[in-house]
Amino acid sequence: MNDTVLEAEHLTAGYGDAIVLEDVSLALPRAGLALLGRNGAGKSTLIAALLGLARQRAGTVRFGSHEITRWSPLRRARAGIAWVPQERAIFPSLSVTENLTVVGRAGPWTLERVHELFPRLAERRRHRGGQLSGGEQQMLAIGRALMLNPKLLLLDEPFEGLAPIVIDELEDAIRRLADEGVAILLAEQHVEKALALTARAAVLDRGRLAWQGASGELAGDADRIAALMGFAVAEGDMMPADPN
Ligand SMILES: Nc1ncnc2c1ncn2[C@@H]1O[C@H](COP(=O)(O)OP(=O)(O)OP(=O)(O)O)[C@@H](O)[C@H]1O
Ligand SMILES: [Mg+2]
């Protein structure tokens, strides 16, 4: 059974004249891919390349049965690729409900289903986006992406800067997405959590693929994680050492 949702082969991409990603090949299975790597490794750039937002120099990208390498960002979105950017980018002056309904496509994800996934968004439906806590804004950003009824959701560091209890809530929601048929790419620096939520993992280092394999294999190998990510300590949920 081929359960690959998206596949990049020999992807080289960057911005303008700058090349950031070089010769990256990876496969994203239906059960999810963790995209790991320290600050500046190229995770967001890879996401931008998959969305058609970076400058692609070489390589191919396949999504389902289509080769989408030359597709515009809009065409990729219409084909079912949605994105939750690192900076969340919700509309601060619109209400929660307006944020959720400003864009959308017919499908199983409706306002009711998003409220069911994130009851806090239902409670706060009349609040403005800008009045929400960081965790609630992340829920809103994910909910808004789900309203597009995507086949694939690219999550760029959804846990960044959030309290552990809020991260737990988001983890539960992300775990449910797989059951609902939404494939995820999870770029994260919370390595253990990202590995627990995905079937496969890819580690970037300075724009190149440093490791790829089963998430379970990497999760059990603290030494390899430390070597790949440059961790200072391996305790609790490991966080990378400051590269500076
Ligand atoms: N718009 C841009 N123009 C030029 N260079 C960029 C741009 N965005 C990122 N870069 C560079 O590309 C490299 C990879 O950055 P990227 O944001 O993809 O890393 P990242 O893994 O997402 O890091 P972080 O974990 O901090 O989000 C960095 O050297 C960065 O300076
Ligand atoms: Mg990033």
Side-chain angles (χ1 to χ4, degrees):
M1 191 183 86
N2 180 9
D3 75 342
T4 300
V5 174
L6 180 139
E7 192 166 27
E9 281 185 331
H10 305 296
L11 195 60
T12 294
Y15 309 95
D17 289 337
I19 289 176
V20 173
L21 283 180
E22 253 189 294
D23 197 25
V24 173
S25 297
L26 49 77
L28 190 156
R30 189 157 302 286
L33 178 79
L35 181 63
L36 308 172
R38 63 189 99 188
N39 287 325
K43 302 180 296 298
S44 296
T45 303
L46 178 64
I47 287 174
L50 298 180
L51 291 164
L53 298 172
R55 180 166 178 199
Q56 193 176 324
R57 303 300 198 95
T60 55
V61 181
R62 283 196 299 114
F63 178 53
S65 55
H66 301 286
E67 194 197 309
I68 65 167
T69 314
R70 284 180 183 74
W71 286 18
S72 69
L74 182 61
R75 194 169 173 202
R76 294 180 201 216
R78 286 193 176 138
I81 302 179
W83 170 46
V84 178
Q86 194 163 0
E87 55 285 351
R88 293 163 198 159
I90 57 151
F91 299 110
S93 60
L94 299 186
S95 72
V96 166
T97 298
E98 286 165 344
N99 265 280
L100 289 171
T101 52
V102 70
V103 287
R105 279 196 327 180
W109 287 101
T110 58
L111 194 58
E112 290 70 31
R113 295 274 319 282
V114 169
H115 284 168
E116 199 188 300
L117 185 69
F118 295 119
R120 287 229 234 162
L121 295 183
E123 289 163 23
R124 301 223 184 262
R125 69 186 84 195
R126 287 185 191 82
H127 288 65
R128 289 179 196 276
Q131 294 176 302
L132 302 181
S133 70
E136 290 164 348
Q137 289 189 1
Q138 188 61 259
M139 292 171 194
L140 182 54
I142 294 172
R144 195 178 58 179
L146 289 173
M147 293 292 283
L148 293 165
N149 277 287
K151 298 188 181 96
L152 170 63
L153 185 57
L154 310 178
L155 295 164
D156 198 346
E157 300 201 36
F159 305 145
E160 190 178 21
L162 300 180
I165 187 156
V166 182
I167 293 178
D168 288 348
E169 266 182 71
L170 285 168
E171 273 183 276
D172 289 343
I174 291 170
R175 193 168 285 118
R176 276 183 60 186
L177 296 182
D179 303 335
E180 309 276 348
V182 183
I184 58 159
L185 181 150
L186 182 57
E188 257 306 328
Q189 302 216 23
H190 288 76
V191 174
E192 289 179 353
K193 292 185 189 301
L195 292 175
L197 288 166
T198 52
R200 236 182 128 69
V203 185
L204 293 176
D205 184 22
R206 282 162 286 183
R208 288 180 171 270
L209 190 71
W211 191 87
Q212 179 170 208
S215 295
E217 188 190 332
L218 191 55
D221 193 344
D223 290 343
R224 184 177 278 170
I225 293 173
L228 288 167
M229 305 269 306
F231 288 116
V233 282
E235 213 173 278
D237 197 330
M238 295 179 277
M239 289 293 289
D242 190 333
N244 306 309

